[in-house]
Amino acid sequence: MKIEYINLNNKKIKNCFSSVYEQFNALHHHQMIVEQKRVGSSTMQAQPKIALSEIFSSSRNYKITVGIYIKDSNKAHVHDLPEEVLKGWFAHELGHVVDYESYTNFGMISYGIKYLTSKSFKKEVEHKADEYAINHGFGHEIIEAKKYILTSPLFSEDYQNIIRTFYMPVKLVEEKLRSTKS
Ligand SMILES: [Zn+2]
């Protein structure tokens, strides 16, 4: 497990991340960079780091960017989120990384374009990220994170609507969780 933290000193965030990452065995051979910085467009982001010379291969590192504040807020800190919520969020981001593994580096470029231009593609990959998180044992945390985002006044109504439109509904996560347990 190779995790490099950049500008991240908060113990709770680090512990939550490493305990989630531990369960994603298939990703451990990659260098994982976790950087905390101000992000405007989201609270967390998972991206492949691809060198230009590796554009036609599949060798790459990954970077998870963690906002300092919750999206839409300049007061609510990410480190104040409950642990379960943080873990669910990280499991979702690492779910994206598992999905990225099936793309070549060149394929990742069209992935990026499709994500921005196709609503159905966005919905499909957001559902996939949750699915991978559930398969790695984080169904409960995914549910907690969703419930928190959808009910907390820290998140704007616009953001909550995006979550409702593109992300897996709590009910479906619960169903999947039941079927993986049985
Ligand atoms: Zn996502």
Side-chain angles (χ1 to χ4, degrees), residues 92-93 96 115 125-126 129 167:
H92 174 88
E93 295 306 324
H96 277 303
Y115 187 89
V125 296
E126 290 304 344
Y167 292 66

Side-chain angles (χ1 to χ4, degrees), residues 125-160:
V125 296
E126 290 304 344
H127 278 235
K128 256 191 207 169
D130 279 341
E131 187 111 35
Y132 283 123
I134 298 164
N135 293 343
H136 283 77
F138 293 98
H140 170 72
E141 289 81 355
I142 289 285
I143 291 170
E144 289 305 304
K146 283 181 196 294
K147 283 185 176 166
Y148 188 85
I149 293 168
L150 292 172
T151 56
S152 164
L154 295 176
F155 297 90
S156 68
E157 239 173 83
D158 281 352
Y159 184 65
Q160 290 170 336

Side-chain angles (χ1 to χ4, degrees), residues 5 12-13 19 28-29 32 34 37 53 56 68 75 79 86 110 114 119 130 135 142 161-162 171-172 177 179-181:
Y5 294 104
K12 182 169 119 185
I13 296 182
S19 70
H28 290 177
H29 64 285
M32 191 66 64
V34 186
K37 65 175 185 190
S53 57
F56 292 107
I68 294 170
K75 288 193 291 280
H79 66 234
L86 269 175
S110 61
K114 268 171 95 180
K119 287 185 173 173
D130 279 341
N135 293 343
I142 289 285
N161 283 333
I162 290 172
K171 275 212 163 126
L172 190 53
L177 196 54
S179 68
T180 52
K181 273 178 182 161

